[in-house]
Amino acid sequence: MRILAHVRAADCLDVLTHLLNRVKLQSQRELIEVARSLVAERVGVTAAELRDRPLPDSGFNAMGSRTETLAGFRAELAVTETGNVELQWFKPNGQPQKSIPAEVKREHAAELRNLKASVKEVKSTLAVARERLESAPLEQLSWPLDKWRERYFDHPVAGTIGRRVIWDFEQDGKEVISAFDGESLVDVQDRPVEPAPSARVSVWHPIGSPADEVLAWREWLLAH
């Protein structure tokens, strides 16, 4: 951490952020926070930008998965419905392969290492995204529509979490609460929602809404 704190490269912020998500001891977390602040100052990043830097996509597609073909075997790396990351192998005939094929270990060692590293990277990305969104209401964070889409809704990895969040769109002096139903954004009555380009987006929190609205969203979640 002491070395990273004195390096100017912005990539060190990602390393320090990853460490912050792994370390549990408060004294160590405080040291990492100090190191992050020092690096952020050197590279000209504000505290808000530091908390909200773009996350890596790890080569994933828009559906939250990545496919590689090695030695005729297909490797599928994906975020599951429960939020875990799985690496599955399939034989040339499409049947599941329980373990890493021997041919892949022998002929594609570098590519295999890359896939394993991607699993770790995606787990870290999910942890960071989850932490950011959970703390967003407390920090009163909001985003312009385009940045929100890029970082938390359409993002290949973070979007697997972002598309399960209830969002608050502030536009034209009004608030529109909506969620993703698997196809598009809808309100609590399943009516389509089209956010204005000028909208600002924040994570909806029930503490700021009347009881009947909270109950309606609970019923919506159960129904979906």
Side-chain angles (χ1 to χ4, degrees):
M1 290 184 290
R2 291 177 179 175
I3 294 174
L4 290 172
H6 292 281
V7 178
R8 291 180 177 272
D11 287 345
C12 287
L13 291 173
D14 294 324
V15 177
L16 289 165
T17 300
H18 178 70
L19 286 173
L20 187 64
N21 289 318
R22 299 295 297 273
V23 170
K24 302 298 181 183
L25 191 63
Q26 184 59 31
S27 61
Q28 293 180 344
R29 292 178 62 84
E30 291 174 358
L31 287 173
I32 295 172
E33 287 283 18
V34 171
R36 286 207 313 170
S37 298
L38 289 172
V39 176
E41 183 179 352
R42 288 193 182 93
V43 299
V45 178
T46 66
E49 292 169 336
L50 175 61
R51 289 194 302 270
D52 201 37
R53 296 185 72 233
L55 295 166
D57 62 24
S58 303
F60 273 42
N61 58 33
M63 301 306 294
S65 64
R66 170 180 164 185
T67 301
E68 301 279 351
T69 300
L70 303 173
F73 292 84
R74 187 174 79 255
E76 291 189 0
L77 181 59
V79 178
T80 68
E81 291 185 358
T82 58
N84 294 321
V85 185
E86 289 186 353
L87 175 58
Q88 295 181 311
W89 292 91
F90 296 87
K91 298 176 183 179
N93 62 8
Q95 293 182 344
Q97 169 84 16
K98 291 184 178 180
S99 58
I100 301 173
E103 296 91 333
V104 173
K105 292 180 179 179
R106 184 173 60 251
E107 301 172 15
H108 298 278
E111 292 90 339
L112 182 58
R113 285 195 298 272
N114 179 268
L115 279 174
K116 290 180 177 180
S118 293
V119 171
K120 294 181 180 179
E121 183 177 63
V122 171
K123 287 181 178 179
S124 175
T125 297
L126 291 171
V128 171
R130 189 176 293 110
E131 183 180 271
R132 287 182 183 181
L133 295 178
E134 287 177 351
S135 63
L138 182 63
E139 299 181 23
Q140 298 183 324
L141 296 180
S142 65
W143 303 269
L145 184 69
D146 57 346
K147 280 193 175 181
W148 166 76
R149 284 194 173 278
E150 176 190 352
R151 296 184 181 182
Y152 297 108
F153 193 75
D154 294 334
H155 190 279
V157 178
T160 61
I161 295 176
R163 289 188 290 273
R164 302 182 186 195
V165 173
I166 300 176
W167 297 96
D168 185 342
F169 296 87
E170 185 178 349
Q171 52 192 42
D172 301 325
K174 298 180 181 180
E175 287 185 328
V176 179
I177 313 301
S178 69
F180 185 65
D181 67 355
E183 295 183 2
S184 61
L185 288 167
V186 297
D187 66 12
V188 75
Q189 296 178 333
D190 283 324
R191 296 174 299 195
V193 171
E194 289 290 343
S198 60
R200 288 200 68 86
V201 191
S202 58
V203 176
W204 176 76
H205 196 287
I207 198 170
S209 299
D212 57 343
E213 184 175 44
V214 175
L215 178 59
W217 275 111
R218 284 180 180 174
E219 292 175 347
W220 187 93
L221 290 170
L222 288 172
H224 289 76

